[in-house]
Amino acid sequence: MNIVDFVRLALKHIRLLILIPILLATLVIILTVNPSFEYSSQTILYTGLATGTSIEMDKRFDHHANSAAFDNLINIIKSRDTQEEVAIRLLAQHLMLQEANSKYISEEHYEEFKDKIPEDMYTYVAVDRNATDVDVDTDNLSSIFPTEIDPVLYEQTVQNLMDLMQSNTSNFVYEIINYEKDKHYSIKAISSMNAMRIGGSDLVKLTYTVNDPGICQQTLDIYNKVCIKNYKFIKQNRSDDVVKYFEAQLAQASDKLKRAEDKLLEFNKASNIINYYEQSKKVAIVKEEMELDYNQKQAELAGLQAATRRLEKKLDIQEVIQQKSNYVLQKKKELGDLNYEIAMIEAKIETNGNNQGLGRLAELKKESNAVTNEIEKSVDELYSYENTVDGLPVTKVLPEWMDNVTDSENLRAKLKIMENQNIEFQKQYKTYAPAGANMLRIQREISVSEEGYLEILHGLNLAKLKLQDNSLSANLKAIDPPFFPLYPIPSKRKILIVVAAFIGGLFTLGIILVMEYFDDTLKNSDKAAEKIGIPALGMIPKILLNPLTTKMSFVQSRLIEIITQNIVQNLSSEEKRDKIPKTILCFSSQKLEGKSVIAGNIAKGLKKSGKSVLVLNYSDKEPRKDQQRKYSILNRILGYADPRIDIDNPFLASASQYLDDSEYHTYKIDKHFYKAKSYLDILELNNIQLDYTPEYVIIELPSIIDNNHPTELFIDSDLDILVCRSNRTWSKADKAALDRLMPFSESKMKFVINGVELKEVERVLGDLPKKRTSLRKKMKSMFRLEFFSKNQI
């Protein structure tokens, strides 16, 4: 679509493009006929979150934590609890006003407020200052109170309204806050407040817009106070809870540590432990020395016993010597018992340091000396024997044997004493061995308890530091209090009207372009030739009741002349030039395509040019429908052409009205018709006699989709004209029916498009004579770039 086509399309729907934007603009005007003026105010809070007002020396800047802190603050500002409290405080303020005050509420809205507030709501307004114990920060709230409102009574009224709202869901306060109708006290109205951080600074800007300047300022002022209070409450309560938690945990850790230390003290007392590590070290050393000494004495005893047995084998004396020996042995035994007892007493004296056994020790030593003297005497008697049994000198063997026996008995006595001491030492060692494991377990328990205690103590110190830090950082300040808006926000009605008109025009133009783009009808000869696939002979416009041109008859006759001229040119080839008659088949793929009208007018045009013609039409064709459509008022208003057909137009007259009886005949369609090979067979089958030989024979055939056709007739024909309407699509059925004929008449088949829009005729005839305004003519010339078209050469 070029620019000329686009302009033509726009001009066709120009009234629609103008009417719809005007209607939309009018609708905007109606909707905003009585606009309520809106007032906007703003306030700025200083938070101290970005730069950080902190007493923690090691606190570093964290961008993520900083963003989270601002998000938390803005969420608190926009929370439902905050909005409910603001709405209730605003409602309480207006309830306590005695009359309208433009600083707080305009007279108009105050009267509306009085009308919608039930009388029983005034019973919740506090009147007795002494009947309440509410703590009020009058310095913080004084700016939002008129002089006639007592801050203490105001706080009590707010509490009464809050209790009423929370009591059930059917009271007036709950309804006015939660239902979305009210413009001042509902959550929907309060939630329109906008909170945003100013760049990367510590500042948060609150903006509110409403239809009353006093309510606008007071709502923002109340919002400031409520947000500061809620934010401070949340920050401090959260840190205070953490401090209380750590204090409780610290007390538990202290009790646990004390119990572990007491357990260690009781264990040391029960085990007689002063310094376990030193004591256990000395016990281990003594045990090792004792085992070494015990093993050495056992080795010495074993050596003496072996030497004694070896000497005794060498002593084989006489019976007297044997008796003497037995006597000596008996005394030796007595001497051994005495020495054992002496060693036991000496050991006790050394161990206990007790001198009570010294007398007994002296007696035992005296007896031991006497026994020793007796043994020596008996041994002296044995010395009388010079030699041993094997011939050895007795004086050499017996002293050695005597020394070995005496030493062996001494060692046995010491080993027995050491064994008894070792038993006592093992008892003490068994006591120290598990005591070490128990002591380690108790000490480990003390260490864990101590570490936990210190960690909780550290956490408590941090929590207290955080509490102080939050106390400083939670101190929000309104550095720019809300101002009283003097002028309303400019109305956007003009902008809305322009936008509505623009969008309406754009939307309408878009719909028109979409409809044009998706229009799949044959429409004109060029588009039809592309879809059908055969050349065009010409086109015929719609025969409207009120055509847009002043010379419709000229257009019709000129188009028929062009078609007849094309027919004559197509049939003027060398092989067809001398053929008489020339047969033209006129057919369509579907019914009611306008074949009869076009065939008759072609015959009329040929006859007008001096040619003799014959028109053969089938007799069982459907009658023409003369029912007229209505010309709707909407089409008339939008300036569209009258869609009704001019059924009385001479162009639509039957061919029998303007052709002679000899030039127009009808035939029957029966079984013999399908055997016809030429027009002569049709004349013969229908008993038609001609008194002349026509130059052109035009045969109209029924629709090829609904009826069969004589193949030989198509083979014998000179030109096949397909007639099709422009306002329908070319379907697969049409294509299939045409494809069946193509093998017989592909090179001689043309088509005529019927019922095209009058603007399409300009493609053939140029500008049609119409009633055009000078503006439209200039616009058309401008878009065609024909600025000097009127200049003569």
Side-chain angles (χ1 to χ4, degrees):
M1 179 183 293
N2 55 34
I3 189 170
V4 176
D5 294 333
F6 177 79
V7 172
R8 183 183 291 114
L9 180 64
L11 292 175
K12 176 183 176 182
H13 303 281
I14 188 65
R15 295 193 183 181
L16 187 64
L17 289 171
I18 294 174
L19 183 61
I20 291 183
I22 291 176
L23 290 176
L24 288 177
T26 305
L27 181 61
V28 170
I29 294 173
I30 293 173
L31 294 177
T32 59
V33 66
N34 187 22
S36 58
F37 294 104
E38 291 188 339
Y39 297 84
S40 179
S41 182
Q42 69 180 28
T43 181
I44 298 177
L45 295 177
Y46 175 76
T47 63
L49 295 176
T51 55
T53 306
S54 174
I55 60 175
E56 296 182 54
M57 302 306 295
D58 60 343
K59 186 173 181 179
R60 298 180 180 179
F61 181 79
D62 188 345
H63 180 74
H64 178 73
N66 180 255
S67 299
F70 271 99
D71 290 341
N72 292 338
L73 174 59
I74 292 177
N75 288 331
I76 291 172
I77 293 174
K78 293 185 177 181
S79 67
R80 184 179 180 84
D81 289 342
T82 301
Q83 293 170 357
E84 284 182 352
E85 185 174 352
V86 171
I88 289 178
R89 287 185 174 275
L90 183 64
L91 178 62
Q93 184 190 79
H94 293 167
L95 280 173
M96 298 182 73
L97 285 174
Q98 301 299 322
E99 58 183 6
N101 188 334
S102 59
K103 182 179 179 182
Y104 303 99
I105 184 172
S106 65
E107 185 173 355
E108 177 187 356
H109 291 116
Y110 184 74
E111 293 300 328
E112 293 178 0
F113 174 77
K114 298 286 286 185
D115 292 338
K116 69 182 175 183
I117 296 296
E119 289 295 332
D120 60 341
M121 286 301 301
Y122 288 94
T123 60
Y124 294 95
V125 177
V127 295
D128 187 3
R129 182 184 179 94
N130 298 324
T132 179
D133 55 354
V134 178
D135 294 331
V136 180
D137 184 3
T138 55
D139 294 335
N140 189 34
L141 297 175
S142 59
S143 62
I144 65 173
F145 294 125
T147 55
E148 63 267 23
I149 295 180
D150 187 345
V152 177
L153 296 180
Y154 173 80
E155 288 297 324
Q156 183 60 42
T157 302
V158 170
Q159 188 62 46
N160 294 341
L161 296 178
M162 188 73 73
D163 295 339
L164 176 62
M165 183 195 69
Q166 296 173 354
S167 61
N168 55 66
T169 59
S170 60
N171 59 79
F172 176 79
V173 177
Y174 183 87
E175 292 176 353
I176 197 173
I177 289 177
N178 289 279
Y179 295 168
E180 299 181 353
K181 296 180 180 179
D182 196 88
K183 297 180 180 180
H184 301 147
Y185 312 104
S186 64
I187 293 294
K188 180 180 179 181
I190 301 297
S191 62
S192 65
M193 190 279 307
N194 183 34
M196 61 175 294
R197 181 183 179 186
I198 302 177
S201 65
D202 293 328
L203 307 178
V204 173
K205 181 173 70 175
L206 307 181
T207 307
Y208 185 60
T209 302
V210 75
N211 58 359
D212 188 294
I215 294 177
C216 180
Q217 182 192 24
Q218 292 304 307
T219 303
L220 266 182
D221 206 349
I222 294 173
Y223 225 119
N224 280 349
K225 307 303 187 295
V226 173
C227 291
I228 291 172
K229 183 192 69 172
N230 290 348
Y231 184 70
K232 187 174 183 179
F233 176 79
I234 291 174
K235 293 279 286 185
Q236 291 183 351
N237 276 13
R238 183 179 62 182
S239 300
D240 189 55
D241 291 340
V242 174
V243 171
K244 291 180 180 179
Y245 167 79
F246 276 112
E247 287 177 346
Q249 293 297 316
L250 185 66
Q252 296 178 6
S254 178
D255 293 340
K256 184 177 180 181
L257 178 61
K258 185 177 180 181
R259 289 194 299 270
E261 291 174 344
D262 292 343
K263 184 177 180 180
L264 178 62
L265 180 60
E266 293 298 329
F267 178 78
N268 289 337
K269 289 181 180 180
S271 302
N272 293 322
I273 296 175
I274 299 174
N275 189 334
Y276 172 78
Y277 298 103
E278 293 295 332
Q279 289 178 270
S280 60
K281 181 178 179 181
K282 290 183 179 180
V283 168
I285 293 173
V286 172
K287 181 176 182 296
E288 185 178 356
E289 292 177 351
M290 184 179 294
E291 288 179 353
L292 181 62
D293 190 23
Y294 182 78
N295 292 333
Q296 289 178 352
K297 285 182 170 52
Q298 279 189 331
E300 291 178 5
L301 179 61
L304 290 175
Q305 288 177 345
T308 301
R309 285 193 297 272
R310 187 175 65 254
L311 292 175
E312 287 178 349
K313 287 181 181 179
K314 294 180 181 180
L315 293 175
D316 188 11
I317 58 177
Q318 298 175 352
E319 182 177 356
V320 177
I321 296 174
Q322 184 66 37
Q323 292 177 353
K324 287 291 185 182
S325 296
N326 290 337
Y327 178 76
V328 171
L329 291 174
Q330 182 179 359
K331 291 299 182 180
K332 182 183 67 174
K333 183 179 181 181
E334 291 179 4
L335 180 61
D337 293 337
L338 290 173
N339 290 334
Y340 171 75
E341 191 172 356
I342 291 169
M344 286 293 291
I345 292 172
E346 288 177 350
K348 288 181 179 181
I349 291 172
E350 291 176 358
T351 303
N352 299 329
N354 190 358
N355 297 328
Q356 293 179 357
L358 294 177
R360 176 61 178 168
L361 180 62
E363 292 178 358
L364 291 175
K365 287 183 177 181
K366 185 177 180 180
E367 290 178 2
S368 176
N369 292 330
V371 173
T372 300
N373 292 332
E374 288 180 2
I375 292 172
E376 289 177 354
K377 183 178 178 181
S378 298
V379 171
D380 291 338
E381 291 177 355
L382 291 175
Y383 285 168
S384 61
Y385 300 97
E386 297 178 354
N387 296 316
T388 61
V389 177
D390 55 358
L392 292 174
V394 177
T395 55
K396 293 183 180 180
V397 176
L398 287 178
E400 185 179 355
W401 176 80
M402 186 62 187
D403 293 337
N404 288 342
V405 170
T406 303
D407 293 338
S408 297
E409 292 301 324
N410 290 334
L411 287 173
R412 284 194 182 94
K414 291 181 179 180
L415 287 172
K416 194 169 184 180
I417 295 300
M418 292 180 69
E419 288 176 358
N420 292 334
Q421 289 180 344
N422 192 29
I423 291 172
E424 295 295 329
F425 187 80
Q426 287 295 335
K427 292 180 181 180
Q428 187 177 7
Y429 194 79
K430 288 180 180 180
T431 302
Y432 271 89
N438 290 332
M439 179 173 288
L440 287 176
R441 184 166 59 250
I442 296 173
Q443 288 177 346
R444 186 164 54 250
E445 182 179 353
I446 293 174
S447 178
V448 171
S449 300
E450 184 178 6
E451 290 178 0
Y453 176 83
L454 294 176
E455 189 66 27
I456 293 173
L457 182 61
H458 179 66
L460 177 60
N461 292 331
L462 290 179
K464 289 182 177 180
L465 193 62
K466 187 68 175 178
L467 177 61
Q468 296 298 323
D469 183 58
N470 287 337
S471 298
L472 295 176
S473 62
N475 190 18
L476 298 179
K477 296 179 181 179
I479 62 173
D480 186 10
F483 57 86
F484 186 87
L486 298 177
Y487 301 101
I489 300 175
S491 175
K492 297 180 180 178
R493 179 192 289 182
K494 295 180 181 179
I495 298 176
L496 293 176
I497 292 174
V498 173
V499 171
F502 177 75
I503 293 176
L506 194 63
F507 180 73
T508 307
L509 183 60
I511 292 177
I512 294 172
L513 291 175
V514 169
M515 291 174 61
E516 190 74 14
Y517 180 79
F518 288 103
D519 184 8
D520 200 33
T521 60
L522 297 178
K523 198 171 185 178
N524 54 50
S525 58
D526 295 338
K527 192 173 181 181
E530 181 181 352
K531 289 183 176 294
I532 299 174
I534 58 177
L537 279 177
M539 63 178 70
I540 302 297
K542 286 183 181 180
I543 312 301
L544 299 177
L545 188 62
N546 294 313
L548 298 178
T549 180
T550 57
K551 296 182 179 181
M552 189 63 184
S553 59
F554 166 77
V555 172
Q556 295 167 352
S557 60
R558 181 60 188 141
L559 291 175
I560 289 296
E561 289 175 356
I562 293 174
I563 292 174
T564 55
Q565 183 179 2
N566 290 333
I567 292 173
V568 172
Q569 290 177 354
N570 275 277
L571 297 178
S572 62
S573 61
E574 293 183 0
E575 58 181 11
K576 296 179 181 181
R577 182 181 305 166
D578 299 330
K579 182 181 178 182
I580 296 178
K582 298 178 177 63
T583 304
I584 300 174
L585 299 182
C586 188
F587 67 97
S588 65
S589 60
Q590 298 183 12
K591 297 178 181 179
L592 301 176
E593 298 281 346
K595 301 184 296 291
S596 299
V597 173
I598 292 177
N601 281 279
I602 290 175
K604 184 179 178 181
L606 290 172
K607 183 179 178 181
K608 185 178 179 181
S609 62
K611 310 292 183 182
S612 59
V613 296
L614 172 64
V615 176
L616 297 176
N617 202 345
Y618 57 96
S619 59
D620 57 347
K621 64 179 181 177
E622 294 184 1
R624 185 178 63 185
K625 295 183 179 180
D626 295 337
Q627 183 179 1
Q628 293 283 2
R629 292 185 299 172
K630 295 182 179 180
Y631 185 23
S632 66
I633 298 176
L634 181 61
N635 284 348
R636 188 174 300 173
I637 293 174
L638 295 178
Y640 291 114
D642 191 344
R644 294 177 294 175
I645 303 299
D646 183 11
I647 59 177
D648 298 327
N649 192 294
F651 189 83
L652 300 179
S654 175
S656 60
Q657 296 180 11
Y658 48 79
L659 294 178
D660 296 338
D661 293 339
S662 61
E663 296 174 335
Y664 181 81
H665 297 278
T666 60
Y667 64 90
K668 293 182 180 179
I669 297 178
D670 52 17
K671 63 180 181 180
H672 302 291
F673 168 72
Y674 298 107
K675 297 180 181 179
K677 296 181 179 180
S678 66
Y679 81 100
L680 295 175
D681 294 335
I682 297 175
L683 295 177
E684 182 180 354
L685 291 173
N686 292 273
N687 298 319
I688 299 174
Q689 301 292 329
L690 296 178
D691 55 359
Y692 69 99
T693 302
E695 295 181 61
Y696 291 90
V697 178
I698 302 175
I699 304 174
E700 181 181 348
L701 301 177
S703 61
I704 60 176
I705 289 180
D706 301 318
N707 302 274
N708 291 330
H709 49 272
T711 305
E712 295 294 336
L713 191 61
F714 273 93
I715 295 174
D716 184 67
S717 66
D718 298 298
L719 181 64
D720 301 331
I721 300 176
L722 171 68
V723 179
C724 49
R725 286 183 289 111
S726 65
N727 61 347
R728 74 176 183 90
T729 59
W730 187 253
S731 65
K732 292 183 178 179
D734 297 321
K735 185 177 184 303
L738 192 63
D739 289 342
R740 290 194 293 269
L741 296 177
M742 294 303 286
F744 313 114
S745 61
E746 181 176 4
S747 61
K748 56 187 177 181
M749 185 177 292
K750 313 293 179 184
F751 77 90
V752 174
I753 187 76
N754 187 23
V756 299
E757 296 287 342
L758 198 59
K759 66 177 183 178
E760 302 294 339
V761 177
E762 292 184 349
R763 297 173 179 266
V764 179
L765 301 181
D767 289 344
L768 299 178
K770 296 181 182 179
K771 293 181 180 180
R772 297 185 177 93
T773 63
S774 57
L775 176 62
R776 186 165 183 174
K777 292 178 181 179
K778 291 180 179 179
M779 289 182 61
K780 190 171 184 179
S781 299
M782 180 181 66
F783 283 108
R784 286 184 174 181
L785 302 179
E786 297 175 350
F787 301 107
F788 307 102
S789 59
K790 292 185 179 181
N791 293 352
Q792 298 181 358
I793 298 176

